[in-house]
Amino acid sequence: MSTYTVQDDRKVTTRRLAEMKAKGEKIAMLTAYDYSMARLVDESGMDVILVGDSASNVMAGNTTTLPMTLDQMIYHASSVVKGTKRALVVCDMPFGTYQGNSIEALASAIRIMKESNAEAVKLEGGEDIIESVKRILSAGIPVMGHLGLTPQSINKFGTYNVRAREEAEANRLIADAKLLEDAGCFAIVLEKIPAKLAARVSAELTIPTIGIGAGNGCDGQVLVLQDMLGINKGFSPRFLRRYADLGNVITDALGSYITDVKSGDFPNEKEQY
Ligand code: KIV
């Protein structure tokens, strides 16, 4: 049983998120990549489900998010949408589908919206991708921004360490956040930046910020489902709070199943026809 009771069971929209920020109500966002988990996440009362390109890591076993394709994101997003009634479903635009060519960016975003029925897209970056952001928005597609440690740029950064500790990068991030807000983004993810900087950005913007490793001053928080459930056992950054130990629960269950099959205990008389 969930310990959280949904106060308002209306469908979550981008407009609702703006109202939540205005009221000081925090936004809960979590990733999901498939129908069965999306149902559980949605029924828990989550406000936003992000079909993250972290699917590349946690579903496909890649070391970065870069290999993810548009077809793969559409597959994951359409599965999640089918399992979701209340939460707003946001789909990541994968690497290579929006950088450098805003016409291709719009075509990619339109494919996501048409083929998956997701309700918004998320793009990584600020000034560098602003033309793509504006063109996608011009088609009536809601855009969530993503600044700070943007994993699609890992080869430029060379490390998954905290970003924007230096004044110059912090100032660029603040300028990028304002640019994204002015362009019409409905929210911005702030990943792995100092808490003080994230709190400042959140206070200066009217749109909500959603933090991951960005402290408590953000308007909402996001985590990767497999990480917070303890399925992805080897991953334990400082910002991650584990809400369950499903990795060990699953391992124990699998061991019991193998033991029962090998001993002939499963299936018993009631479990056969
Ligand atoms: O892909 C993803 O899961 C994300 C979140 C970590 C914000 O972008």
Side-chain angles (χ1 to χ4, degrees), residues 31 33 50 52-54 92 122 124 146 189 191 212 222 224:
T31 67
Y33 315 97
L50 171 66
D53 60 356
S54 49
D92 259 341
K122 176 164 81 59
E124 295 183 5
H146 186 160
V189 167
E191 180 162 353
I212 173 162
V222 58
V224 167

Side-chain angles (χ1 to χ4, degrees), residues 27-47:
I27 297 162
M29 173 161 126
L30 193 64
T31 67
Y33 315 97
D34 67 274
Y35 168 78
S36 304
M37 292 308 285
R39 275 186 70 175
L40 293 174
V41 174
D42 186 54
E43 285 165 9
S44 75
M46 203 66 59
D47 299 307

Side-chain angles (χ1 to χ4, degrees), residues 255-266:
S256 300
Y257 168 68
I258 295 169
T259 304
D260 289 353
V261 170
K262 301 267 183 202
S263 70
D265 181 69
F266 175 78

